[in-house]
Amino acid sequence: MRSEEALYEQINALLHAVKKDSKLKAIATATAIDADKNYIMPLFQFQNLGYPIKYNWTTQVGIRLP
């Protein structure tokens, strides 16, 4: 999408910089691990369905699993 081009450019610039700098790679890796643990994983916890959770995130109510 055209509206996302700037975002993709920023992501590509970060990935390019990470390839060249081991310290930056370590920071990016630690940040990704922290984000997964503290932002993404709470979304998959059953007790959070339909309730507001940390960092102003919310989950869907009434999700049907196959």
Side-chain angles (χ1 to χ4, degrees):
M1 246 182 163
R2 289 191 76 138
S3 62
E4 296 174 346
E5 288 178 3
L7 176 62
Y8 292 136
E9 287 178 21
Q10 290 175 345
I11 292 168
N12 285 329
L14 175 63
L15 293 174
H16 183 70
V18 164
K19 286 182 182 178
K20 292 183 173 184
D21 186 335
S22 62
K23 287 183 182 180
L24 185 57
K25 182 177 182 177
I27 292 169
T29 300
T31 301
I33 291 168
D34 180 64
D36 185 59
K37 177 183 174 189
N38 294 307
Y39 298 100
I40 304 302
M41 291 309 295
L43 294 175
F44 293 101
Q45 295 175 3
F46 183 74
Q47 73 265 17
N48 289 329
L49 291 179
Y51 295 99
I53 55 177
K54 291 195 308 186
Y55 312 110
N56 297 316
W57 288 50
T58 58
T59 58
Q60 296 292 324
V61 177
I63 295 174
R64 287 188 172 193
L65 300 175

